[in-house]
Amino acid sequence: MAKLSILLCIAIAFMLSFTLREVVAHTGTATFYTPPYVPSACNGYQKDGVMIAAASDAIWDDGAACGRKYKVKCTGATNQSPHPCKGKKYVVVKVVDYCPSGCEGTIDLSQEAFASIADPDTGKIKISFHEYVNLIINLSIRVFLQL
């Protein structure tokens, strides 16, 4: 019976993931930083890959942003660059570092993450972004913990 309950909950979570997209998009700007990406404010010398970001004070939340994932979309230029957006429509990055006060953007993407959505020669872009949460996994974990 418990297995049936788990399967039912997973199926419901899967269906809800396509209909319950509680997304609040924010706008801001993005810049990029170059390797080496360690040490980082969140994980020290742990390597976190290249699809990563440093959070500005706007989203840092006294370090609570560490580990959060954000879906970032290029929406336009902040300068005279006619077509800064390119490649993928968006990139999902994990916050692993802090971009100190004076940071030029809302979020400072790794060079690789920035290049996947915009021309690096642009340097700074307008973005829309929101916290990226995998609803299937979150709901499945919650259901499993309640059993």
Side-chain angles (χ1 to χ4, degrees):
M1 187 67 179
K3 287 183 182 180
L4 182 59
S5 295
I6 292 172
L7 289 174
L8 180 61
C9 290
I10 290 172
I12 291 170
F14 182 75
M15 289 185 293
L16 289 175
S17 72
F18 291 104
T19 58
L20 293 178
R21 298 273 184 200
E22 193 173 318
V23 176
V24 177
H26 303 280
T27 58
T29 58
T31 52
F32 69 90
Y33 64 115
T34 57
Y37 299 128
V38 292
S40 69
C42 298
N43 301 319
Y45 285 92
Q46 174 183 318
K47 293 184 180 181
D48 292 295
V50 295
M51 292 307 183
I52 56 174
S56 71
D57 286 329
I59 59 176
W60 180 243
D61 194 18
D62 291 323
C66 287
R68 288 183 190 158
K69 290 187 177 182
Y70 285 91
K71 188 173 183 178
V72 181
K73 178 181 178 182
C74 177
T75 60
T78 60
N79 55 27
Q80 299 302 317
S81 181
H83 305 289
C85 304
K86 67 167 193 147
K88 294 170 40 175
K89 291 185 179 191
Y90 65 87
V91 64
V92 175
V93 293
K94 178 180 170 183
V95 173
V96 299
D97 212 348
Y98 174 62
C99 189
S101 58
C103 187
E104 293 293 319
T106 308
I107 192 164
D108 202 17
L109 302 172
S110 67
Q111 183 176 11
E112 293 84 353
F114 189 96
S116 73
I117 60 170
D119 180 356
D121 289 337
T122 304
K124 186 176 182 179
I125 55 171
K126 292 179 184 176
I127 59 167
S128 66
F129 67 97
H130 63 85
E131 191 171 353
Y132 180 79
V133 179
N134 187 329
L135 292 175
I136 295 171
I137 292 172
N138 280 352
L139 289 175
S140 298
I141 289 171
R142 287 181 186 159
V143 167
F144 180 73
L145 291 175
Q146 290 178 351
L147 294 177

